[in-house]
Amino acid sequence: MVEARAQEATHGEAQTVDVAVVGAGFAGLYLLHRLRKAGFSTVALDTANDVGGTWYWNRYPGARCDIQTVDYSYTFDPELETAWQWSEKYATQPEILRYLGFVADRYDLRRDIRFGTRVLGASWDEARERWLLTTDNGPAVSCRHYIMATGCLSQPKPPEIDGVHDFRGEIYFTSRWPHDGVDLRGKRVAVIGTGSSGIQSIPIIAEQASQLTVFQRTPNFALPAHNGPLPADRAAQLAQDRNGLREQARWSLTGVPIPPATEFSWAMSETERRERFEKMWASGDLVGMLTQLWADQGVDADGNALLADLIREKIREIVKDPETAEALTPHDHPFGAKRPCLDTNYYATFNRPNVTLVNLRNEPITSITANGIKTDKRSFDIDVIVFATGFDAMTGAIRAVHPIKGRGGKSLDDSWANGPETYLGLTVAGFPNLFLITGPGSPSVLSNMAVSIEQHVDFVVDRLAEMRNAGFTTIEPTETAQAGWSRHMADCATVTLHRLANTWYTGANVPGKPQALMPYTGGVGPYRGICNEIVSRGMLGFRLT
Ligand code: FAD
């Protein structure tokens, strides 16, 4: 059906632009701004009815960022930085959405966005050297360059449980939460999934529901956010040297301006390690806990275990029922190898009399029935099911545009049959003039994505402008460069602990998805350095015509 529409559309009837952008989230908005300033005609298309991407869709109770919001912001315009003030250390979804709306208004971006429009397929026309994008609403788009700013966490994973359609109660997805909110008061609610969205929403749902049953497959590490106003020392630092901090973030490992620890765990006494840990636990800083305790925490299993044990101790201290505490305690992955979460009262919520944890490792769900959920041991009567089951991360939204046909009609599905391969996470051999923002192979989800997105967008738009000025019409990575990047990705990953966890970083949460660590683990600053070097060496690894 999609293919048929792709064939029906022609360049002649299409909206014609220099550059088409898919997505109007953090990345798509900045792309539109930069492309326009660089003199390109452009259009962005988004399924959503307004800007915001992640922050448009994820409206579940408790949704907020877990990187301090002063860092999770655009930095391209100093005047924008002072025109907007964040009210909290970790802003809520409505505030971040307001911010992105503010940015769209400030730079008059909405006039070039086609909302309520899904891009269905894309094909490269060799003779014209143009992409043709088919859509489900309005004309196709003919463009020289096609940029997918479709998001790493934007393609929800469908529930894999029999009987969902038989359920007679209400069903919600955290990633598609109704805009008018949901009244859960007095209802028996089930939350399935204990990733970040589950961990953020469960404490609030527990306060509203008469009974909350949480179905957990894999326990996750969560740290207290201790949210509130921005800490005074950070506010003072920003006031003093905003530009310096921004530059520090750009060259850091994670996109946040805090230096990683340089002392090793084995060079510290147990007391010193505990002191460092307690201070970090009290400060509510996820990136700090991931990078600042000791230098070997992210690269050495023993160094990591020292930290993981301290967090496990906290879980046991907080959760009163020992069996529940044990079920909530992660043992199957090093801390940080799977995305840890930032919470507000998550573990303490399991002390409430109206909250029950069901450990799916001991009693798997067998089916959803008209009235509730059945495990292989019990039945639960439920009024509302909330799926917090996450995303087909990093490649899901890219592959949902189907087919993407590159040179010689080859499809991206075929190219990626054994897992995604890219050059820099930005481009794919055989797919000229196609760019992925935060694609697999970029630091993306292992970084402050605001910083990564700005770097990608600047890199791509600068290259497009240079190509145009030099008279080139196509750009494509070589197979050799792509293979080299895959090798480098694998080398970087070998020295991290990511290899010890099956997570959505590796595609393990989606049945049948090829297993590979998708984000680049070499760090934001080193990645930026590589991109700059590629440019300074005459676009090493790219073929331009
Ligand atoms: P998105 O914001 O995902 O936008 C992509 C857009 O593309 C969507 O609007 C989608 O509708 C549209 N789209 C996709 N496919 C198509 C198609 N075929 N046709 C038309 N439109 C399409 N990152 C951090 O760095 N720090 C955080 O604290 C943080 N917190 C997060 C919390 C949650 C709950 C989630 C889900 C993610 C979080 N992230 C965080 C990651 C977040 O996704 C990124 O920070 C950022 O918002 C991504 O922006 P984006 O523009 O790349 O993609």
Side-chain angles (χ1 to χ4, degrees):
M1 174 69 181
V2 170
E3 204 140 352
R5 280 194 229 178
Q7 280 161 8
E8 281 160 22
T10 63
H11 286 270
E13 297 158 354
Q15 178 182 6
T16 300
V17 289
D18 296 328
V19 188
V21 173
V22 187
F26 239 107
L29 292 178
Y30 183 44
L31 270 165
L32 271 189
H33 175 63
R34 281 284 338 255
L35 286 165
R36 267 197 206 156
K37 279 190 81 167
F40 291 104
S41 62
T42 181
V43 64
L45 305 103
D46 201 306
T47 326
N49 288 321
D50 202 352
V51 298
T54 288
W55 305 103
Y56 172 90
W57 294 110
N58 290 270
R59 299 176 188 236
Y60 59 84
R64 58 173 79 238
C65 61
D66 53 19
I67 302 260
Q68 293 193 9
T69 329
V70 286
D71 297 314
Y72 184 63
S73 305
Y74 291 114
T75 64
F76 64 86
D77 179 354
E79 284 178 21
L80 169 64
E81 291 224 47
T82 46
W84 182 270
Q85 300 298 324
W86 293 107
S87 69
E88 287 181 289
K89 185 167 71 160
Y90 299 108
T92 56
Q93 170 272 329
E95 188 173 6
I96 303 174
L97 185 59
R98 276 201 303 280
Y99 169 72
L100 293 172
F102 175 79
V103 170
D105 290 342
R106 188 178 172 95
Y107 304 101
D108 188 21
L109 301 177
R110 284 192 177 86
R111 72 181 150 91
D112 280 329
I113 307 177
R114 282 171 55 183
F115 293 114
T117 306
R118 178 180 299 281
V119 171
L120 300 171
S123 55
W124 173 248
D125 184 322
E126 207 102 47
R128 287 187 172 86
E129 293 186 332
R130 296 185 77 80
W131 282 95
L132 183 66
L133 314 186
T134 49
T135 73
D136 68 351
N137 181 17
V141 177
S142 167
C143 53
R144 172 79 68 203
H145 300 281
Y146 165 34
I147 308 184
M148 299 191 79
T150 43
C152 289
L153 300 170
S154 56
Q155 183 73 16
K157 206 170 72 91
E160 304 146 21
I161 306 169
D162 287 343
V164 175
H165 299 294
D166 300 333
F167 184 61
R168 285 206 296 259
E170 302 161 55
I171 291 185
Y172 301 102
F173 290 79
T174 49
S175 56
R176 292 291 179 273
W177 203 255
H179 289 199
D180 300 333
V182 179
D183 186 0
L184 297 172
R185 280 173 304 179
K187 294 185 179 155
R188 295 164 301 178
V189 180
V191 173
I192 301 182
T194 52
S196 192
S197 307
I199 284 175
Q200 288 187 336
S201 59
I202 282 165
I204 298 176
I205 294 177
E207 285 169 9
Q208 299 167 358
S210 62
Q211 176 66 40
L212 170 63
T213 312
V214 176
F215 293 84
Q216 171 195 273
R217 188 166 61 183
T218 315
N220 225 331
F221 289 104
L223 316 172
H226 297 303
N227 203 11
L230 183 67
D233 56 336
R234 286 242 46 213
Q237 274 181 333
L238 265 178
Q240 224 173 25
D241 185 16
R242 189 182 288 266
N243 290 344
L245 285 173
R246 296 309 190 205
E247 202 51 16
Q248 205 182 323
R250 291 181 191 119
W251 289 99
S252 68
L253 284 180
T254 52
V256 173
I258 44 172
T262 49
E263 303 88 346
F264 289 87
S265 60
W266 37 264
M268 293 175 205
S269 67
E270 197 188 330
T271 314
E272 191 184 344
R273 284 197 299 265
R274 190 173 284 276
E275 269 171 16
R276 283 182 177 227
F277 169 75
E278 290 292 348
K279 201 169 154 209
M280 196 59 80
W281 184 267
S283 75
D285 185 344
L286 181 63
V287 180
M289 192 68 97
L290 280 164
T291 59
Q292 278 192 308
L293 291 197
W294 37 88
D296 45 331
Q297 66 182 70
V299 292
D300 177 71
D302 292 340
N304 189 281
L306 291 167
L307 167 53
D309 282 345
L310 289 165
I311 303 176
R312 292 186 190 113
E313 231 177 78
K314 286 284 182 200
I315 301 171
R316 290 185 202 111
E317 254 170 51
I318 300 168
V319 182
K320 293 196 179 108
D321 172 51
E323 199 183 323
T324 306
E326 187 48 30
L328 287 167
T329 305
H331 291 285
D332 67 343
H333 63 277
F335 173 69
K338 181 181 162 113
R339 183 76 151 91
C341 308
L342 214 56
D343 75 89
T344 302
N345 297 330
Y346 175 63
Y347 293 119
T349 296
F350 292 90
N351 296 331
R352 292 176 65 106
N354 69 331
V355 176
T356 307
L357 180 72
V358 178
N359 182 355
L360 299 179
R361 298 275 178 219
N362 295 344
E363 47 173 320
I365 294 178
T366 50
S367 64
I368 293 179
T369 62
N371 301 317
I373 297 178
K374 269 190 176 166
T375 68
D376 67 359
K377 293 201 172 88
R378 296 179 273 180
S379 292
F380 298 87
D381 288 335
I382 301 290
D383 303 311
V384 179
I385 302 179
V386 174
F387 285 100
T389 37
F391 301 92
D392 181 352
M394 300 206 65
T395 53
I398 298 170
R399 298 187 74 160
V401 175
H402 188 82
I404 299 178
K405 282 189 176 173
R407 214 180 268 293
K410 186 166 186 188
S411 78
L412 192 66
D413 275 348
D414 288 342
S415 288
W416 285 5
N418 299 319
E421 272 200 272
T422 66
Y423 186 40
L424 302 171
L426 296 174
T427 54
V428 187
F431 296 81
N433 295 6
L434 167 68
F435 297 92
L436 314 173
I437 302 297
T438 66
S442 74
S444 58
V445 289
L446 295 179
S447 70
N448 170 2
M449 290 189 65
V451 169
S452 289
I453 284 169
E454 281 194 337
Q455 187 273 343
H456 294 339
V457 170
D458 289 339
F459 180 88
V460 171
V461 179
D462 289 347
R463 300 298 76 73
L464 295 189
E466 284 164 10
M467 279 175 64
R468 178 193 54 198
N469 298 345
F472 290 110
T473 49
T474 73
I475 178 170
E476 184 186 343
T478 64
E479 293 279 357
T480 313
Q482 185 163 287
W485 188 250
S486 297
R487 184 67 255 161
H488 174 60
M489 291 252 311
D491 288 346
C492 291
T494 313
V495 296
T496 72
L497 299 177
H498 288 289
R499 67 186 187 283
L500 302 179
N502 291 325
T503 71
W504 55 262
Y505 293 155
T506 63
N509 65 328
V510 178
K513 190 165 170 169
Q515 299 290 292
L517 183 63
M518 292 181 282
Y520 174 64
T521 53
V524 167
Y527 175 87
R528 178 181 295 269
I530 293 168
C531 289
N532 291 356
E533 190 183 342
I534 283 168
V535 175
S536 71
R537 292 173 67 183
M539 293 303 285
L540 189 70
F542 285 102
R543 191 183 304 116
L544 281 83
T545 61

